[in-house]
């Protein structure tokens, strides 16, 4: 069922990803403007992320004293690169750029690159607040990664395959979200955490004057903050093939279903962001180990029993 | 060439502004914040994220030195504007736009440290106050680095490129770890204007904290904005109770906005600030009461916020009383979240009293931060307790503790109380 996309898909994919990220960032800007200055401001702020990108492109890049420029830039560059590489196994409709046997593992490995990326970016400028931001992401990784992997495992277990195409195919008739709701919710939480966005934005928190991005300007800042939106879009869209049946649906073509479901997940995340303050990992960790880890383990057990019984 | 001009014009339409407030300039800050909001200009987290540096207040003396450092951290193209009087807020932002179009970066804070000094370009906001907000550190000017300015650091491990290497000390678990000295403030976002706290950090845990001279060497002879009604009443003027309640309500909404921004909850933070401006603009209480109550209810109902702030910065009433603390921090008798709840209560109570036209009592008055008319202003006691509460707190918790006490340094520069 799952074919790989033609060659032009490889070329098109990064652009489609950027377009989706710009749309998501625009929606977020519009919602923010509407809640602060009334609905009239929402339309005006819709293109604000594009304007910000232009501004950063025309800006001087800053350099701090005794900075580790190479490591810092490697970290910054890794953020968008990790997002694009992760998107390679993301099916649009039923076709992904590539659909390897261990696609889910590939996806998880690319996300884990973000760990290195943010930490290096925080380390680079030789600045205390920036380093604090980098460390915060390491703590965040320790908190989210375990339940996240159990959630991924649960989906793979349901399909009895690590191939993303098989996972989509296994949801014909019944989407995984129906009998794996806990795994789906945990996945959404970790999608936010991985993109260090919203309630998990502590690594770039305002209390640390921007944390890991505090010293970056110009193109560096654009890559880091733009790459963060790419990560958010990729991780949010990956929930569609994992739990929401991928391109399956009546009437509309598969790509349209993928787009609709992805948009719905992103709207949910962007809307839900306003409900909670930023989570500090020293407090969140307890919740993760006491609630989320047992919950995802039970969910995996349930999925395993269902599969054995089939 | 035309392209870069077009780009500058484009940026000038809504540049992100890094707003730095000097002590005594609360009215100017409020004017600039309101203007930024109505224009939809973003507020930057720090100098590196900004296109413009706007100073609320009239800088002088040592302030120009650290403002110069902050200015150097703003990447080109950039603009600088000073709002010395609240009525000039809109004009200053127009000026920012013009400067960005013309690309005139030389218009920075005059009197800034000469270029070529060791830490030009070094980490802005926390490095900036290296030159010390206090005059007695002028001997260190030019010798950069956190350690040299921190009271307890006589012997650090060495110097690389003009910056000290972190030294080592035992951490709370008895491990020998790197220890770094740096100053928090005065140019941090959502930070009490003019406050500088010297901290010794291990990782992001505060080992020691010391409040540095909040007085900036520049005496301000204006009545502190938030406690003005009570000070005027104590001075013999007739002030209606309603006006005082209005000011108290706005003061706590201001503190609330700052606290929520530090806690990473920008949506209600922005709402609190909008309502603060509405309250100050003499809107009829009935018009804002519903929105204010909706906001306070939402904050009180947030179990996440409670879980994140409970147990931080415990300050029992008995201890607070010994330290001379009055006002919300004493009434709270507890942690950061308890202090937050006292603000919410007082905001709601003040909403009901805004129409009261009876004159304000002249003695024993409680301002937004505590008892007015004592030997020292109420914020002094809040500053005195900070080093104790901050010890052992992580950076994020330290910020929450400071935000929950929210000392108002306007009171100190007005009274001319020397400190440090």
């Amino acid at each position: 069922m799952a074919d790989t996309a033609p060659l032009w898909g490889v070329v098109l994919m990064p652009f489609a990803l950027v377009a989706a990220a710009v749309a998501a960032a625009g929606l977020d800007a519009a919602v923010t403007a509407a809640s602060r200055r009334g609905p009239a401001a929402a339309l005006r702020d819709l293109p604000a992320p594009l304007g910000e990108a232009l501004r950063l492109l025309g800006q001087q890049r800053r350099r701090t004293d005794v900075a580790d420029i190479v490591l810092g830039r490697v970290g910054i560059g890794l953020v968008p690169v990790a997002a694009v590489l992760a998107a390679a196994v993301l099916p649009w409709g039923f076709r992904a750029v590539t659909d390897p046997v261990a696609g889910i593992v590939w996806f998880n490995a690319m996300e884990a690159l973000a760990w290195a990326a943010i930490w290096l970016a925080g380390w680079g400028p030789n600045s205390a607040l920036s380093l604090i931001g980098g460390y915060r992401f390491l703590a965040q990784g320790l908190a989210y990664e375990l339940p996240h992997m159990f959630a991924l495992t649960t989906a793979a277990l349901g399909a009895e395959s690590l191939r993303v195409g098989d996972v989509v195919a296994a949801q014909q008739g019944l989407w995984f979200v129906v009998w794996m709701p806990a795994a789906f919710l945990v996945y959404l939480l970790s999608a936010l955490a991985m993109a260090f966005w919203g309630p998990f934005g502590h690594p770039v928190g305002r209390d640390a004057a921007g944390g890991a991005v505090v010293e970056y300007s110009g193109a560096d800042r654009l890559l880091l903050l733009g790459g963060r939106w790419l990560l958010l879009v990729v991780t949010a869209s990956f929930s569609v093939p994992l739990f929401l049946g991928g391109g399956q649906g009546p009437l509309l073509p598969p790509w349209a279903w993928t787009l609709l479901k992805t948009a719905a997940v992103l709207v949910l995340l962007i809307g839900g962001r306003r409900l909670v303050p930023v989570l500090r990992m020293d407090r969140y960790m307890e919740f993760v180990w006491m609630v989320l880890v047992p919950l995802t383990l039970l969910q995996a057990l349930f999925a395993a029993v269902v599969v054995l019984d089939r | 060439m035309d392209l870069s001009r077009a780009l500058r014009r484009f940026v000038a339409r809504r540049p992100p502004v890094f707003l730095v407030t000097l002590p005594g300039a609360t009215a100017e800050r409020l004017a600039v914040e309101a203007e930024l909001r109505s224009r939809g200009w973003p507020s930057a987290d720090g100098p590196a994220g900004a296109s413009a540096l706007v100073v609320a207040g009239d800088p002088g003396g040592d302030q120009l030195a650290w403002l110069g450092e902050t200015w150097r951290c703003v990447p080109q193209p950039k603009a600088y504007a000073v709002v010395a009087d609240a009525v000039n807020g809109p004009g200053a932002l127009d000026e920012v736009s013009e400067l960005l179009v013309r690309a005139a970066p030389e218009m920075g804070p005059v009197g800034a440290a000469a270029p070529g000094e060791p830490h030009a370009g070094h980490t802005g906001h926390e490095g900036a106050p290296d030159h010390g907000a206090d005059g007695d550190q002028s001997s260190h000017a030019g010798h950069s680095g956190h350690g040299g300015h921190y009271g307890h650091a006589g012997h650090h491990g060495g110097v690389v490129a003009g910056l000290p290497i972190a030294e080592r000390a035992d951490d709370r678990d008895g491990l020998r770890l790197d220890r770094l000295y740096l100053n928090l403030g005065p140019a941090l976002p959502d930070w009490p204007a003019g406050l500088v706290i010297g901290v010794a950090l291990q990782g992001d845990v505060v080992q020691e904290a010391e409040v540095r001279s909040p007085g900036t060497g520049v005496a301000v002879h204006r009545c502190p904005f938030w406690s003005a009604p009570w000070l005027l009443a104590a001075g013999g003027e007739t002030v209606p109770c309603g006006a005082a309640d209005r000011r108290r309500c706005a003061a706590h909404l201001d503190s609330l906005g700052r606290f929520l921004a530090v806690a990473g909850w920008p949506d209600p933070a922005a709402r609190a600030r909008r309502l603060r401006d509405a309250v100050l603009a003499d809107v009829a209480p009935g018009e804002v009461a519903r929105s204010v109550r909706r906001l306070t209810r939402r904050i009180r109902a947030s179990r996440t916020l409670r879980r994140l702030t409970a147990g931080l910065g415990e300050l029992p009433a008995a201890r607070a009383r010994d330290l001379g603390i009055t006002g919300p921090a004493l009434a709270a008798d507890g942690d950061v979240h308890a202090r937050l709840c006292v603000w919410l209560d007082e905001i709601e109570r003040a909403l009901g009293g805004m129409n009261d036209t009876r004159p304000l009592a002249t003695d024993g008055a409680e301002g937004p931060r505590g008892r007015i008319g004592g030997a020292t202003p109420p914020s002094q006691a809040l500053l005195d307790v900070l080093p104790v509460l901050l010890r052992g707190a992580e950076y994020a918790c330290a910020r929450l503790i400071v935000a929950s006490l929210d000392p108002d340094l306007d009171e100190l520069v007005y009274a001319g109380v020397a400190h440090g």
Side-chain angles (χ1 to χ4, degrees), chain A residues 17-92:
Chain A
L17 197 59
V18 169
V22 168
L27 175 68
D28 184 52
V31 176
T32 306
S35 79
R36 284 182 200 176
R37 290 178 289 128
L43 265 184
R44 223 188 63 166
D45 271 21
L46 198 61
L50 272 182
E52 175 68 0
L54 265 181
R55 180 185 80 90
L56 290 175
L57 278 177
Q59 198 180 43
Q60 174 196 26
R61 278 166 116 176
R62 277 186 67 232
R63 222 182 245 199
T64 46
D65 279 355
V66 217
D68 201 328
I69 294 174
V70 175
L71 279 189
R73 290 205 175 145
V74 166
I76 290 169
L78 268 181
V79 181
V81 166
V84 169
L85 287 180
V89 293
L90 188 69
W92 286 75

Side-chain angles (χ1 to χ4, degrees), chain A residues 35-37 44-45 51 55 58-60 62 65-66 127 136 206-207 214-215 274-275 278 280 283, chain B residues 14 37 39 43 45 48-49 51 73 76 118 123 125 190 264-265 267 274 298 307-308 310 395 399:
Chain A
S35 79
R36 284 182 200 176
R37 290 178 289 128
R44 223 188 63 166
D45 271 21
R55 180 185 80 90
Q59 198 180 43
Q60 174 196 26
R62 277 186 67 232
D65 279 355
V66 217
S127 147
R136 280 179 180 177
R206 187 169 167 90
D207 65 328
V214 62
E215 303 294 346
R274 263 141 262 281
L275 302 180
V278 162
R280 283 200 331 276
R283 296 284 161 100
Chain B
R14 42 174 302 167
R37 193 178 55 237
R39 290 175 187 229
S43 135
D45 286 346
S51 276
C73 294
Q76 308 257 23
T123 58
H125 16 276
D190 304 311
W265 205 5
D267 202 48
R274 205 175 60 196
R298 180 177 171 196
R307 226 167 266 158
L308 286 170
Y395 177 84
R399 291 266 351 226

Side-chain angles (χ1 to χ4, degrees), chain B residues 169-243:
Chain B
D170 290 342
D171 85 334
R172 56 182 173 185
D173 301 321
L175 299 167
R176 260 189 112 58
L177 293 178
D178 280 1
R179 164 182 282 219
L180 193 67
Y181 297 95
L182 69 120
N183 285 334
L184 304 182
L188 267 176
D190 304 311
W191 180 257
L195 179 62
V196 180
I197 301 181
V199 292
L201 281 182
Q202 276 181 327
D204 69 343
V205 178
V206 175
Q207 299 288 317
E208 283 169 53
E210 180 188 76
V211 175
R212 299 292 186 73
S213 162
T216 54
V218 183
V220 177
H221 300 289
R222 275 160 73 186
C223 212
F225 186 82
W226 295 124
S227 40
W230 296 272
L231 283 168
L232 290 177
E237 275 185 50
T238 318
V239 179
C241 277

Side-chain angles (χ1 to χ4, degrees), chain A residues 72-216:
Chain A
R73 290 205 175 145
V74 166
I76 290 169
L78 268 181
V79 181
V81 166
V84 169
L85 287 180
V89 293
L90 188 69
W92 286 75
F94 294 117
R95 290 166 153 214
V97 165
T98 172
D99 194 15
V101 192
I104 291 181
V105 178
W106 168 265
F107 179 79
N108 195 219
M110 290 310 108
E111 301 168 335
L113 272 184
W115 283 41
I118 304 307
W119 193 81
L120 289 177
W123 168 268
N126 185 30
S127 147
L129 292 185
S130 158
L131 191 62
I132 287 177
Y135 274 127
R136 280 179 180 177
F137 193 65
L138 289 192
Q140 191 152 306
L142 290 177
Y144 82 74
E145 191 65 39
L146 212 54
H148 175 64
M149 288 205 289
F150 286 135
L152 288 178
T153 313
T154 309
L157 205 61
E160 295 176 64
S161 167
L162 285 169
R163 192 193 288 270
V164 182
D166 293 345
V167 176
V168 175
Q171 297 180 65
Q172 221 167 8
L174 191 62
W175 296 356
F176 281 175
V177 64
V178 178
W179 55 292
M180 303 174 186
F184 176 65
L185 287 179
V186 168
Y187 179 85
L188 285 190
L189 280 182
S190 48
L192 293 177
M194 221 158 345
F196 50 105
W197 182 86
F200 293 90
H202 211 213
V204 291
R206 187 169 167 90
D207 65 328
V213 287
V214 62
E215 303 294 346
Y216 291 116

Side-chain angles (χ1 to χ4, degrees), chain A residues 219-263:
Chain A
D220 295 327
R221 199 179 185 87
L222 177 62
L223 278 179
L224 192 56
L225 294 181
R228 179 183 181 219
W229 276 102
L230 292 181
L231 267 180
L232 181 70
V233 167
V234 170
T235 49
S237 355
F238 205 63
S239 70
V240 173
L242 278 184
F243 297 102
L244 299 176
Q248 310 198 28
L251 298 176
L252 295 176
W255 64 264
W257 274 113
T258 308
L259 204 65
L260 268 180
K261 291 172 185 175
T262 306

